[in-house]
Amino acid sequence: MKKFDRLIVVFLAVYLLISLGLPVLFQSINRKESSEYKVEINRIYLGLVKGSPFTEPDLSSCEFIKNVTFLPQSLSTRNEELDKFYKSNNGVEYEIKPWYDGDKLLGYLRFNYINSKGDNSFLLKVELILFMFAVSIVSILLYIRNSILKPFNTLSEMPYELSKGNFKGDMKESKDRYFGKFLWGVNLLRENLDYHKIKEFKLQKEKKLLLISISHDIQTPLNTIKLYAKAIVEEVYDTNEKKMLAAKQIEEKSLEIESFVRYIIKTSSEEILEIEVVDGEFYLKDLIEKVVLTYKEKCNLKMIDFTVGNYNNKLVKGDLDRAFEVVGNILENAFKYGDGKEIKISFCEEDYCQLINIFNTGEIISQNEFNHIFDSFYRASNSEGKQGNGLGLYICKSIMKKMDGEVFAECEKEGMSFTLVFR
Protein backbone atom coordinates (compact mmCIF):
# COMPACT_ATOMS: atom_id res chain seq x y z
CA MET A 1 0.00 0.00 0.00
CA LYS A 2 2.80 2.41 0.91
CA LYS A 3 4.62 1.60 -2.32
CA PHE A 4 1.47 2.42 -4.29
CA ASP A 5 1.13 5.73 -2.42
CA ARG A 6 4.74 6.48 -3.34
CA LEU A 7 3.88 5.78 -6.97
CA ILE A 8 1.10 8.39 -6.84
CA VAL A 9 3.45 10.92 -5.22
CA VAL A 10 6.14 10.27 -7.84
CA PHE A 11 3.60 10.71 -10.64
CA LEU A 12 2.43 14.04 -9.17
CA ALA A 13 6.06 15.18 -8.79
CA VAL A 14 6.77 14.33 -12.44
CA TYR A 15 3.60 16.19 -13.50
CA LEU A 16 4.59 19.30 -11.52
CA LEU A 17 8.10 19.14 -12.95
CA ILE A 18 6.76 18.94 -16.51
CA SER A 19 4.11 21.64 -16.01
CA LEU A 20 6.67 24.03 -14.49
CA GLY A 21 9.26 23.21 -17.13
CA LEU A 22 6.94 23.89 -20.08
CA PRO A 23 6.88 27.72 -19.62
CA VAL A 24 10.69 27.73 -19.47
CA LEU A 25 10.80 25.66 -22.64
CA PHE A 26 8.32 27.93 -24.43
CA GLN A 27 10.23 31.00 -23.28
CA SER A 28 13.44 29.67 -24.81
CA ILE A 29 11.53 28.93 -28.02
CA ASN A 30 10.12 32.46 -28.00
CA ARG A 31 13.60 33.90 -27.69
CA LYS A 32 14.69 31.95 -30.70
CA GLU A 33 11.62 33.02 -32.67
CA SER A 34 12.14 36.69 -31.69
CA SER A 35 15.48 36.65 -33.49
CA GLU A 36 13.89 35.05 -36.55
CA TYR A 37 11.46 37.90 -37.21
CA LYS A 38 14.39 40.38 -37.04
CA VAL A 39 16.13 38.45 -39.77
CA GLU A 40 13.05 38.90 -41.97
CA ILE A 41 12.92 42.65 -41.19
CA ASN A 42 16.58 43.09 -42.13
CA ARG A 43 16.09 41.14 -45.37
CA ILE A 44 13.08 43.25 -46.38
CA TYR A 45 14.83 46.45 -45.35
CA LEU A 46 17.92 45.68 -47.42
CA GLY A 47 15.74 44.72 -50.37
CA LEU A 48 14.09 48.15 -50.62
CA VAL A 49 15.48 50.30 -53.42
CA LYS A 50 16.70 53.58 -51.96
CA GLY A 51 15.73 56.75 -53.74
CA SER A 52 12.71 55.09 -55.36
CA PRO A 53 9.12 55.67 -54.26
CA PHE A 54 8.05 53.21 -51.52
CA THR A 55 6.23 50.15 -52.75
CA GLU A 56 5.08 47.40 -50.36
CA PRO A 57 7.48 44.47 -50.71
CA ASP A 58 6.47 40.86 -51.49
CA LEU A 59 5.86 39.15 -48.14
CA SER A 60 4.80 35.72 -49.44
CA SER A 61 8.01 34.11 -48.21
CA CYS A 62 7.84 35.76 -44.79
CA GLU A 63 6.59 33.79 -41.82
CA PHE A 64 6.40 36.58 -39.24
CA ILE A 65 6.10 39.91 -41.16
CA LYS A 66 2.47 40.62 -42.10
CA ASN A 67 2.80 44.03 -43.75
CA VAL A 68 5.10 47.06 -44.08
CA THR A 69 3.88 50.67 -44.00
CA PHE A 70 5.78 53.84 -44.78
CA LEU A 71 5.54 57.31 -43.20
CA PRO A 72 7.26 59.91 -45.37
CA GLN A 73 9.45 62.49 -43.66
CA SER A 74 7.14 65.24 -44.88
CA LEU A 75 4.19 63.78 -42.95
CA SER A 76 6.11 62.83 -39.80
CA THR A 77 5.39 66.22 -38.23
CA ARG A 78 1.62 65.86 -38.45
CA ASN A 79 0.04 64.53 -35.32
CA GLU A 80 -2.86 62.81 -37.03
CA GLU A 81 -0.46 60.94 -39.36
CA LEU A 82 1.80 60.00 -36.45
CA ASP A 83 -1.16 58.67 -34.48
CA LYS A 84 -2.31 56.62 -37.41
CA PHE A 85 1.23 55.32 -38.05
CA TYR A 86 1.85 54.30 -34.47
CA LYS A 87 -1.63 52.89 -33.83
CA SER A 88 -1.37 49.34 -32.49
CA ASN A 89 -3.47 46.43 -33.73
CA ASN A 90 -4.69 43.53 -31.60
CA GLY A 91 -2.33 40.59 -31.69
CA VAL A 92 0.18 42.47 -33.90
CA GLU A 93 3.55 43.74 -32.80
CA TYR A 94 5.62 46.21 -34.78
CA GLU A 95 9.09 47.64 -35.16
CA ILE A 96 9.99 51.11 -36.55
CA LYS A 97 13.12 51.64 -38.63
CA PRO A 98 14.24 54.92 -40.30
CA TRP A 99 14.76 54.76 -44.09
CA TYR A 100 17.72 56.71 -45.45
CA ASP A 101 18.97 57.53 -48.89
CA GLY A 102 22.59 58.15 -48.06
CA ASP A 103 22.45 60.87 -45.41
CA LYS A 104 18.97 61.96 -46.37
CA LEU A 105 16.06 60.69 -44.22
CA LEU A 106 13.29 59.55 -46.49
CA GLY A 107 10.87 58.55 -43.71
CA TYR A 108 10.02 55.70 -41.38
CA LEU A 109 9.18 52.08 -42.07
CA ARG A 110 6.81 50.15 -39.80
CA PHE A 111 7.16 46.37 -39.88
CA ASN A 112 4.06 44.66 -38.49
CA TYR A 113 4.70 41.11 -37.37
CA ILE A 114 2.95 38.37 -35.45
CA ASN A 115 5.07 36.07 -33.31
CA SER A 116 2.48 33.27 -33.64
CA LYS A 117 4.71 30.45 -32.43
CA GLY A 118 5.22 32.24 -29.19
CA ASP A 119 1.48 32.58 -28.58
CA ASN A 120 0.71 32.00 -24.89
CA SER A 121 -2.67 30.49 -25.74
CA PHE A 122 -0.89 27.43 -27.12
CA LEU A 123 1.01 27.02 -23.88
CA LEU A 124 -2.24 27.29 -21.91
CA LYS A 125 -3.83 24.61 -24.10
CA VAL A 126 -0.88 22.27 -23.54
CA GLU A 127 -0.98 22.94 -19.80
CA LEU A 128 -4.75 22.28 -19.74
CA ILE A 129 -4.39 18.97 -21.64
CA LEU A 130 -1.53 17.94 -19.36
CA PHE A 131 -3.60 18.83 -16.29
CA MET A 132 -6.62 16.84 -17.53
CA PHE A 133 -4.34 13.86 -18.26
CA ALA A 134 -2.79 14.09 -14.78
CA VAL A 135 -6.23 14.31 -13.13
CA SER A 136 -7.41 11.25 -15.10
CA ILE A 137 -4.36 9.17 -14.17
CA VAL A 138 -4.50 10.20 -10.50
CA SER A 139 -8.24 9.43 -10.42
CA ILE A 140 -7.60 5.95 -11.84
CA LEU A 141 -4.75 5.34 -9.40
CA LEU A 142 -6.88 6.47 -6.44
CA TYR A 143 -9.75 4.28 -7.64
CA ILE A 144 -7.42 1.26 -7.83
CA ARG A 145 -6.02 2.15 -4.41
CA ASN A 146 -9.37 2.57 -2.63
CA SER A 147 -11.51 0.02 -4.51
CA ILE A 148 -9.03 -2.81 -5.08
CA LEU A 149 -5.79 -2.53 -3.11
CA LYS A 150 -7.24 -1.22 0.15
CA PRO A 151 -9.90 -3.99 0.49
CA PHE A 152 -7.32 -6.58 -0.54
CA ASN A 153 -4.85 -5.21 2.01
CA THR A 154 -7.56 -5.55 4.66
CA LEU A 155 -8.09 -9.17 3.60
CA SER A 156 -4.39 -10.06 3.54
CA GLU A 157 -4.27 -10.74 7.30
CA MET A 158 -7.36 -12.96 7.34
CA PRO A 159 -5.75 -16.18 5.91
CA TYR A 160 -2.89 -15.82 8.39
CA GLU A 161 -5.35 -15.42 11.29
CA LEU A 162 -7.37 -18.41 10.09
CA SER A 163 -4.20 -20.52 9.88
CA LYS A 164 -3.54 -19.73 13.57
CA GLY A 165 -7.08 -20.78 14.50
CA ASN A 166 -8.33 -17.25 15.18
CA PHE A 167 -11.91 -17.34 13.88
CA LYS A 168 -13.36 -14.47 15.90
CA GLY A 169 -12.38 -11.55 13.68
CA ASP A 170 -15.23 -10.39 11.44
CA MET A 171 -14.93 -8.81 7.99
CA LYS A 172 -17.37 -6.03 7.21
CA GLU A 173 -19.48 -7.14 4.25
CA SER A 174 -19.37 -4.93 1.18
CA LYS A 175 -21.21 -4.55 -2.10
CA ASP A 176 -17.90 -3.84 -3.86
CA ARG A 177 -17.96 -5.26 -7.38
CA TYR A 178 -14.50 -6.78 -6.97
CA PHE A 179 -14.41 -8.10 -3.40
CA GLY A 180 -18.04 -8.14 -2.24
CA LYS A 181 -18.58 -11.82 -2.96
CA PHE A 182 -15.04 -12.64 -1.84
CA LEU A 183 -15.61 -10.94 1.53
CA TRP A 184 -18.86 -12.81 1.91
CA GLY A 185 -17.08 -16.09 1.12
CA VAL A 186 -14.25 -15.38 3.59
CA ASN A 187 -16.77 -14.59 6.33
CA LEU A 188 -18.67 -17.78 5.53
CA LEU A 189 -15.43 -19.76 5.65
CA ARG A 190 -14.53 -18.17 8.99
CA GLU A 191 -17.97 -18.96 10.42
CA ASN A 192 -17.78 -22.57 9.20
CA LEU A 193 -14.31 -23.05 10.64
CA ASP A 194 -15.44 -21.53 13.93
CA TYR A 195 -18.53 -23.76 13.94
CA HIS A 196 -16.48 -26.90 13.26
CA LYS A 197 -13.92 -25.91 15.89
CA ILE A 198 -16.66 -25.57 18.54
CA LYS A 199 -18.23 -28.77 17.29
CA GLU A 200 -14.87 -30.56 17.50
CA PHE A 201 -14.38 -29.43 21.10
CA LYS A 202 -17.89 -30.61 21.93
CA LEU A 203 -17.28 -33.98 20.27
CA GLN A 204 -13.98 -34.37 22.07
CA LYS A 205 -15.71 -33.69 25.37
CA GLU A 206 -18.53 -36.13 24.58
CA LYS A 207 -16.00 -38.72 23.43
CA LYS A 208 -14.07 -38.47 26.68
CA LEU A 209 -17.26 -38.77 28.73
CA LEU A 210 -18.33 -41.71 26.57
CA LEU A 211 -14.99 -43.46 27.03
CA ILE A 212 -15.07 -42.86 30.79
CA SER A 213 -18.62 -44.19 30.97
CA ILE A 214 -17.93 -47.23 28.80
CA SER A 215 -14.66 -47.92 30.61
CA HIS A 216 -16.61 -48.04 33.85
CA ASP A 217 -19.24 -50.29 32.29
CA ILE A 218 -16.60 -52.61 30.82
CA GLN A 219 -14.81 -52.89 34.13
CA THR A 220 -17.62 -54.92 35.73
CA PRO A 221 -17.80 -57.78 33.18
CA LEU A 222 -14.00 -57.66 32.86
CA ASN A 223 -13.59 -58.20 36.61
CA THR A 224 -16.07 -61.05 36.42
CA ILE A 225 -14.08 -62.67 33.58
CA LYS A 226 -10.85 -62.30 35.54
CA LEU A 227 -12.47 -63.79 38.65
CA TYR A 228 -13.83 -66.86 36.83
CA ALA A 229 -10.58 -67.30 34.89
CA LYS A 230 -8.57 -67.22 38.13
CA ALA A 231 -10.93 -69.72 39.72
CA ILE A 232 -10.49 -72.11 36.78
CA VAL A 233 -6.70 -71.72 36.82
CA GLU A 234 -6.54 -72.38 40.58
CA GLU A 235 -8.94 -75.37 40.17
CA VAL A 236 -11.43 -73.97 42.64
CA TYR A 237 -14.25 -75.82 40.85
CA ASP A 238 -14.17 -79.51 41.57
CA THR A 239 -16.84 -80.58 39.08
CA ASN A 240 -17.15 -80.19 35.32
CA GLU A 241 -20.59 -78.73 35.81
CA LYS A 242 -19.18 -75.79 37.80
CA LYS A 243 -16.38 -75.34 35.27
CA MET A 244 -18.91 -75.23 32.43
CA LEU A 245 -20.94 -72.66 34.35
CA ALA A 246 -17.83 -70.51 34.82
CA ALA A 247 -16.97 -70.82 31.11
CA LYS A 248 -20.52 -69.80 30.21
CA GLN A 249 -20.25 -66.75 32.45
CA ILE A 250 -16.96 -65.82 30.80
CA GLU A 251 -18.60 -66.14 27.35
CA GLU A 252 -21.58 -63.98 28.38
CA LYS A 253 -19.34 -61.27 29.83
CA SER A 254 -17.15 -61.39 26.69
CA LEU A 255 -20.25 -60.82 24.57
CA GLU A 256 -21.18 -57.95 26.85
CA ILE A 257 -17.75 -56.36 26.34
CA GLU A 258 -18.08 -56.98 22.58
CA SER A 259 -21.39 -55.07 22.58
CA PHE A 260 -19.64 -52.13 24.25
CA VAL A 261 -16.93 -52.20 21.55
CA ARG A 262 -19.59 -52.24 18.81
CA TYR A 263 -21.24 -49.27 20.47
CA ILE A 264 -17.93 -47.36 20.44
CA ILE A 265 -17.46 -48.13 16.72
CA LYS A 266 -21.05 -47.13 15.97
CA THR A 267 -20.67 -43.86 17.85
CA SER A 268 -17.44 -43.07 15.98
CA SER A 269 -19.14 -43.81 12.66
CA GLU A 270 -22.05 -41.53 13.51
CA GLU A 271 -19.58 -38.67 14.04
CA ILE A 272 -18.16 -39.24 10.57
CA LEU A 273 -21.63 -39.47 9.05
CA GLU A 274 -22.58 -36.05 10.39
CA ILE A 275 -22.21 -34.38 6.98
CA GLU A 276 -24.66 -31.63 6.09
CA VAL A 277 -26.35 -32.15 2.71
CA VAL A 278 -28.74 -29.61 1.19
CA ASP A 279 -31.93 -31.24 -0.01
CA GLY A 280 -32.23 -29.60 -3.42
CA GLU A 281 -31.63 -29.95 -7.14
CA PHE A 282 -28.92 -28.97 -9.59
CA TYR A 283 -28.20 -29.23 -13.30
CA LEU A 284 -25.82 -31.94 -14.42
CA LYS A 285 -23.98 -29.43 -16.62
CA ASP A 286 -23.04 -27.33 -13.58
CA LEU A 287 -21.44 -30.34 -11.89
CA ILE A 288 -19.50 -31.48 -14.96
CA GLU A 289 -18.24 -27.98 -15.80
CA LYS A 290 -16.98 -27.62 -12.23
CA VAL A 291 -15.22 -31.00 -12.44
CA VAL A 292 -13.61 -30.21 -15.81
CA LEU A 293 -12.49 -26.76 -14.63
CA THR A 294 -10.85 -28.29 -11.54
CA TYR A 295 -9.30 -31.48 -12.91
CA LYS A 296 -8.69 -31.01 -16.66
CA GLU A 297 -5.51 -28.98 -16.16
CA LYS A 298 -4.33 -31.30 -13.37
CA CYS A 299 -4.67 -34.28 -15.72
CA ASN A 300 -2.79 -32.41 -18.45
CA LEU A 301 0.08 -31.71 -16.05
CA LYS A 302 0.19 -35.38 -15.00
CA MET A 303 -0.03 -36.49 -18.69
CA ILE A 304 -3.27 -38.41 -17.97
CA ASP A 305 -5.75 -38.91 -20.81
CA PHE A 306 -8.88 -37.24 -19.33
CA THR A 307 -12.08 -37.62 -21.36
CA VAL A 308 -15.66 -36.61 -20.64
CA GLY A 309 -18.42 -38.21 -22.68
CA ASN A 310 -21.58 -36.64 -24.06
CA TYR A 311 -24.54 -36.11 -21.78
CA ASN A 312 -27.97 -34.49 -21.62
CA ASN A 313 -28.26 -31.58 -19.20
CA LYS A 314 -30.72 -33.08 -16.74
CA LEU A 315 -31.99 -31.59 -13.49
CA VAL A 316 -30.95 -34.07 -10.79
CA LYS A 317 -31.73 -34.38 -7.10
CA GLY A 318 -28.99 -33.55 -4.60
CA ASP A 319 -26.50 -30.99 -3.35
CA LEU A 320 -24.15 -29.63 -6.04
CA ASP A 321 -21.25 -29.00 -3.66
CA ARG A 322 -21.53 -32.43 -2.04
CA ALA A 323 -21.88 -34.13 -5.44
CA PHE A 324 -18.68 -32.39 -6.52
CA GLU A 325 -17.04 -33.63 -3.30
CA VAL A 326 -18.00 -37.21 -4.18
CA VAL A 327 -16.65 -36.95 -7.75
CA GLY A 328 -13.55 -35.21 -6.39
CA ASN A 329 -12.84 -37.99 -3.88
CA ILE A 330 -13.11 -40.63 -6.60
CA LEU A 331 -10.86 -38.68 -8.99
CA GLU A 332 -8.28 -38.09 -6.24
CA ASN A 333 -8.25 -41.85 -5.62
CA ALA A 334 -7.72 -42.35 -9.37
CA PHE A 335 -4.68 -40.05 -9.23
CA LYS A 336 -3.37 -41.81 -6.12
CA TYR A 337 -3.99 -45.48 -6.93
CA GLY A 338 -4.32 -45.52 -10.74
CA ASP A 339 -1.48 -46.02 -13.21
CA GLY A 340 -1.74 -42.46 -14.60
CA LYS A 341 -2.79 -43.48 -18.11
CA GLU A 342 -6.50 -42.74 -18.45
CA ILE A 343 -9.49 -41.33 -16.58
CA LYS A 344 -12.84 -41.44 -18.36
CA ILE A 345 -16.23 -40.06 -17.30
CA SER A 346 -19.29 -41.40 -19.12
CA PHE A 347 -23.04 -40.98 -18.70
CA CYS A 348 -26.24 -42.96 -19.10
CA GLU A 349 -29.84 -42.95 -17.87
CA GLU A 350 -31.62 -45.86 -16.26
CA ASP A 351 -34.98 -46.16 -14.42
CA TYR A 352 -35.44 -42.36 -14.18
CA CYS A 353 -31.95 -42.02 -12.72
CA GLN A 354 -28.84 -40.28 -14.01
CA LEU A 355 -25.76 -42.48 -13.88
CA ILE A 356 -22.23 -41.07 -13.92
CA ASN A 357 -19.48 -43.64 -14.46
CA ILE A 358 -15.88 -42.76 -13.55
CA PHE A 359 -13.26 -45.19 -14.83
CA ASN A 360 -9.51 -45.15 -14.29
CA THR A 361 -6.85 -47.56 -15.44
CA GLY A 362 -4.68 -49.24 -12.86
CA GLU A 363 -3.97 -52.33 -10.79
CA ILE A 364 -7.03 -54.36 -9.74
CA ILE A 365 -7.39 -55.20 -6.04
CA SER A 366 -8.36 -58.65 -4.74
CA GLN A 367 -11.99 -59.67 -4.31
CA ASN A 368 -11.62 -59.78 -0.53
CA GLU A 369 -10.29 -56.22 -0.45
CA PHE A 370 -12.92 -55.09 -2.96
CA ASN A 371 -15.69 -56.17 -0.57
CA HIS A 372 -14.47 -53.64 2.03
CA ILE A 373 -13.56 -50.56 -0.03
CA PHE A 374 -16.58 -48.60 1.24
CA ASP A 375 -15.86 -49.44 4.90
CA SER A 376 -14.60 -46.70 7.19
CA PHE A 377 -10.85 -46.63 7.90
CA TYR A 378 -10.25 -49.45 5.45
CA ARG A 379 -7.20 -49.27 3.21
CA ALA A 380 -6.36 -51.89 0.62
CA SER A 381 -2.89 -53.33 0.01
CA ASN A 382 -2.25 -50.92 -2.89
CA SER A 383 -2.39 -47.98 -0.44
CA GLU A 384 0.91 -48.84 1.20
CA GLY A 385 3.23 -45.84 1.25
CA LYS A 386 0.44 -43.47 0.16
CA GLN A 387 -1.20 -40.87 2.38
CA GLY A 388 -4.81 -41.39 3.42
CA ASN A 389 -7.10 -42.47 6.23
CA GLY A 390 -9.49 -44.87 4.49
CA LEU A 391 -12.49 -42.54 4.73
CA GLY A 392 -12.82 -41.17 1.16
CA LEU A 393 -15.11 -43.81 -0.33
CA TYR A 394 -16.92 -44.26 3.00
CA ILE A 395 -17.83 -40.55 2.95
CA CYS A 396 -18.81 -40.79 -0.74
CA LYS A 397 -21.29 -43.55 -0.01
CA SER A 398 -22.69 -41.68 3.00
CA ILE A 399 -23.19 -38.48 0.97
CA MET A 400 -24.86 -40.32 -1.92
CA LYS A 401 -27.29 -42.03 0.47
CA LYS A 402 -28.17 -38.69 2.05
CA MET A 403 -28.95 -37.38 -1.46
CA ASP A 404 -31.24 -40.37 -2.05
CA GLY A 405 -28.66 -41.78 -4.45
CA GLU A 406 -26.11 -44.57 -4.49
CA VAL A 407 -22.53 -45.35 -5.50
CA PHE A 408 -21.27 -48.69 -6.82
CA ALA A 409 -17.78 -49.96 -7.60
CA GLU A 410 -16.69 -52.55 -10.14
CA CYS A 411 -13.38 -54.18 -10.97
CA GLU A 412 -12.91 -54.13 -14.72
CA LYS A 413 -10.28 -55.74 -16.91
CA GLU A 414 -7.94 -52.72 -17.00
CA GLY A 415 -8.89 -50.83 -13.85
CA MET A 416 -11.61 -49.65 -11.48
CA SER A 417 -14.91 -47.95 -12.22
CA PHE A 418 -17.34 -46.17 -9.89
CA THR A 419 -20.95 -45.46 -10.80
CA LEU A 420 -22.84 -42.62 -9.14
CA VAL A 421 -26.63 -42.83 -9.23
CA PHE A 422 -28.64 -39.59 -8.98
CA ARG A 423 -32.42 -39.43 -9.02
Side-chain angles (χ1 to χ4, degrees), residues 207 210 214 262-272:
K207 188 182 290 184
L210 175 66
I214 293 178
R262 281 200 300 268
Y263 179 71
I264 292 173
I265 295 173
K266 181 176 180 294
T267 305
S268 300
S269 300
E270 286 175 351
E271 290 176 7
I272 297 168

Side-chain angles (χ1 to χ4, degrees), residues 332-333 335-338 363-366 369 372-373 375 377-393:
E332 291 296 336
N333 281 349
F335 293 138
K336 193 183 298 183
Y337 306 118
E363 184 182 353
I364 301 172
I365 60 176
S366 67
E369 290 178 320
H372 298 282
I373 61 173
D375 293 347
F377 302 108
Y378 181 79
R379 305 194 73 199
S381 58
N382 62 350
S383 64
E384 186 176 351
K386 299 181 177 69
Q387 290 185 347
N389 49 29
L391 289 173
L393 294 178

Side-chain angles (χ1 to χ4, degrees), residues 294-317:
T294 306
Y295 289 101
K296 180 69 174 178
E297 185 62 27
K298 186 173 181 179
C299 288
N300 290 339
L301 293 173
K302 290 179 175 288
M303 306 293 290
I304 299 174
D305 186 14
F306 182 70
T307 57
V308 178
N310 297 324
Y311 61 91
N312 295 321
N313 188 21
K314 297 288 184 178
L315 187 66
V316 297
K317 181 179 173 61

Side-chain angles (χ1 to χ4, degrees), residues 2-28:
K2 290 181 180 179
K3 290 183 179 180
F4 196 79
D5 291 340
R6 284 196 211 105
L7 175 65
I8 297 175
V9 171
V10 169
F11 176 79
L12 289 174
V14 172
Y15 161 70
L16 290 174
L17 185 64
I18 294 174
S19 61
L20 293 174
L22 278 176
V24 177
L25 178 63
F26 270 76
Q27 190 175 3
S28 64

Side-chain angles (χ1 to χ4, degrees), residues 349-355 421-423:
E349 297 174 23
E350 185 179 313
D351 295 333
Y352 301 101
C353 291
Q354 176 65 56
L355 275 61
V421 181
F422 293 90
R423 286 177 59 121

